Amino acid sequence: MNSKWKMLLLISFAISLMLIKHRFRIKKHLQKTSHCWVHETEEPQLSDWFNPKKRLDVITTTDWFAPVIWEGTYNTQVLEKYYKRLNITIGLVVWATGKFTGEDLKQFIQSANKHFMIGYNVIFYILMDDFSRLPHIELGPLRTFKLLPIQPKGKVWEDLNVIDMKSLTVYIIKHIKREVDFLFSMTINQIFKNDFGVETLGKSVAQLHAWWYFENAKKVPYERRPKSAAFIPFGKGDFYYDSAIFGGTPQEVLTFTAEYQKAVTNDTKNGLRSTYECHLNKYFFINKPTKLLSPEYNWDPTFRTPPQIKRVKIARQSKRI
């Protein structure tokens, strides 16, 4: 009996050792898998996908170390690998108001459908003041659009830009912030010419003005009246930004729309009126953007194209809307 019990104990001990060893292997494998998953879903470092030395002919990094995206400075493959795993959705707001025509909207949407965030979920938010001018719209896979009416005018002094920003504020709070991970706002008088991809995504994204980037910085048309909320003193300012494009996370866009409305209200109380673009520039002067898009992303083909412009992403139409 003793020998039998000894044999049973030895077998039990051996089985226990095997189970412990097996559990250890499983745990180690799970830890390794978890580490790989976390590593692959971590946001790439700037140096992983952005190389400012590739374009020594232009400004590629700001004083606050934000990247300026030019053709040749970014590695799309690294960013694609990261964002594809996150299954992100990008929103694009286009303002189909004022003097636009159905053809303007059709050209914008058709070109965006072809070049904007290819391979990703995209929602086009079309803000309109007259739905009767909506053209027939056909979209590719992963793309959809939503029609949103412009909010009614409130106070007498509210111009179209104020009404537009009020409308965007309402819709971001109401549903957009839950529908998309990133959001861009663009004017309708633009045509996409080449891919506008994930290299443009960031917390707060500003567009460098195509004309003023190459001009004397002392001449930029900042608001110079000290009593205006958009005031930037002479000798101050970083860049002159174009109001045709801005973006970021929905929360950052919402912050700007709220600050803009507050600034316009203050100016109105002081008997002043500044431009929407001046207010945008003041906002980005105080709240530095985390990513800047080069003039290649919003080039005016009526300008003489300098050698620094390697690949036009968006071409502005000559008429301002």
Side-chain angles (χ1 to χ4, degrees):
M1 288 294 292
N2 288 337
S3 59
K4 288 183 178 180
W5 277 110
K6 286 181 179 179
M7 182 62 69
L8 287 173
L9 286 172
L10 285 172
I11 293 172
S12 298
F13 181 71
I15 292 173
S16 298
L17 284 176
M18 289 174 63
L19 287 173
I20 292 171
K21 190 175 182 180
H22 182 64
R23 286 181 181 179
F24 178 76
R25 285 177 177 175
I26 291 176
K27 184 178 180 181
K28 190 174 181 180
H29 175 72
L30 289 174
Q31 287 176 338
K32 185 177 180 180
T33 302
S34 175
H35 175 75
C36 290
W37 173 255
V38 170
H39 178 72
E40 290 181 351
T41 56
E42 282 182 351
E43 184 173 3
Q45 296 294 312
L46 184 61
S47 59
D48 293 336
W49 64 270
F50 180 72
N51 187 350
K53 294 180 181 179
K54 292 287 187 179
R55 291 294 302 272
L56 300 177
D57 56 326
V58 290
I59 298 172
T60 52
T61 306
T62 68
D63 292 341
W64 58 97
F65 304 110
V68 183
I69 309 301
W70 293 85
E71 180 68 16
T73 60
Y74 55 89
N75 185 328
T76 304
Q77 291 181 342
V78 174
L79 294 173
E80 291 275 358
K81 185 177 181 181
Y82 169 66
Y83 284 116
K84 285 289 187 182
R85 286 188 175 277
L86 296 183
N87 192 32
I88 60 172
T89 299
I90 304 102
L92 174 54
V93 175
V94 58
W95 305 95
T97 59
K99 299 178 181 179
F100 91 100
T101 65
E103 188 60 28
D104 293 323
L105 179 58
K106 186 176 181 179
Q107 289 179 0
F108 179 90
I109 294 295
Q110 283 182 338
S111 66
N113 182 53
K114 185 178 180 180
H115 295 294
F116 182 76
M117 302 295 169
I118 302 303
Y120 292 89
N121 302 304
V122 172
I123 302 175
F124 297 111
Y125 297 102
I126 304 173
L127 275 76
M128 301 186 71
D129 54 3
D130 183 359
F131 286 0
S132 68
R133 291 188 283 179
L134 179 69
H136 176 66
I137 296 175
E138 292 185 5
L139 298 175
L142 305 178
R143 277 135 208 284
T144 186
F145 73 91
K146 295 187 178 185
L147 284 178
L148 304 175
I150 296 295
Q151 298 294 303
K153 187 172 183 177
K155 299 177 176 62
V156 176
W157 52 265
E158 291 180 343
D159 63 14
L160 187 59
N161 288 316
V162 174
I163 296 170
D164 286 349
M165 289 301 109
K166 280 180 62 177
S167 300
L168 184 54
T169 299
V170 169
Y171 292 125
I172 291 176
I173 294 172
K174 192 173 181 180
H175 58 86
I176 290 177
K177 67 180 182 180
R178 294 185 295 274
E179 296 172 343
V180 302
D181 302 285
F182 297 96
L183 183 66
F184 284 93
S185 170
M186 299 190 185
T187 57
I188 198 173
N189 57 325
Q190 305 178 86
I191 301 293
F192 288 81
K193 295 295 185 180
N194 284 292
D195 288 353
F196 190 106
V198 291
E199 77 279 358
T200 65
L201 298 179
K203 182 180 179 182
S204 175
V205 183
Q207 172 66 54
L208 292 176
H209 198 285
W211 174 261
W212 291 110
Y213 177 83
F214 294 101
E215 284 294 304
N216 189 329
K218 295 180 180 179
K219 297 179 180 179
V220 293
Y222 291 138
E223 174 59 73
R224 300 303 192 184
R225 293 172 294 179
K227 289 187 178 181
S228 173
F231 171 63
I232 295 178
F234 284 99
K236 299 292 184 180
D238 305 306
F239 300 93
Y240 192 78
Y241 302 107
D242 197 321
S243 60
I245 300 173
F246 77 93
T249 62
Q251 184 57 52
E252 285 295 315
V253 175
L254 181 63
T255 300
F256 165 70
T257 62
E259 289 297 315
Y260 169 70
Q261 293 173 73
K262 189 189 302 181
V264 172
T265 300
N266 290 337
D267 273 8
T268 302
K269 290 178 181 178
N270 291 323
L272 298 171
R273 175 171 289 188
S274 190
T275 66
Y276 167 69
E277 196 161 80
C278 281
H279 283 292
L280 180 74
N281 272 272
K282 177 59 177 287
Y283 178 80
F284 281 134
F285 176 58
I286 300 299
N287 306 277
K288 308 296 188 190
T290 60
K291 184 173 287 184
L292 284 69
L293 305 183
S294 73
E296 294 172 319
Y297 285 85
N298 186 241
W299 186 250
D300 190 330
T302 62
F303 298 161
R304 180 185 62 82
T305 304
Q308 294 92 330
I309 303 299
K310 304 296 185 184
R311 194 180 189 202
V312 174
K313 302 287 189 169
I314 294 179
R316 174 179 292 176
Q317 294 178 292
S318 58
K319 60 180 179 179
R320 292 290 271 186
I321 297 177

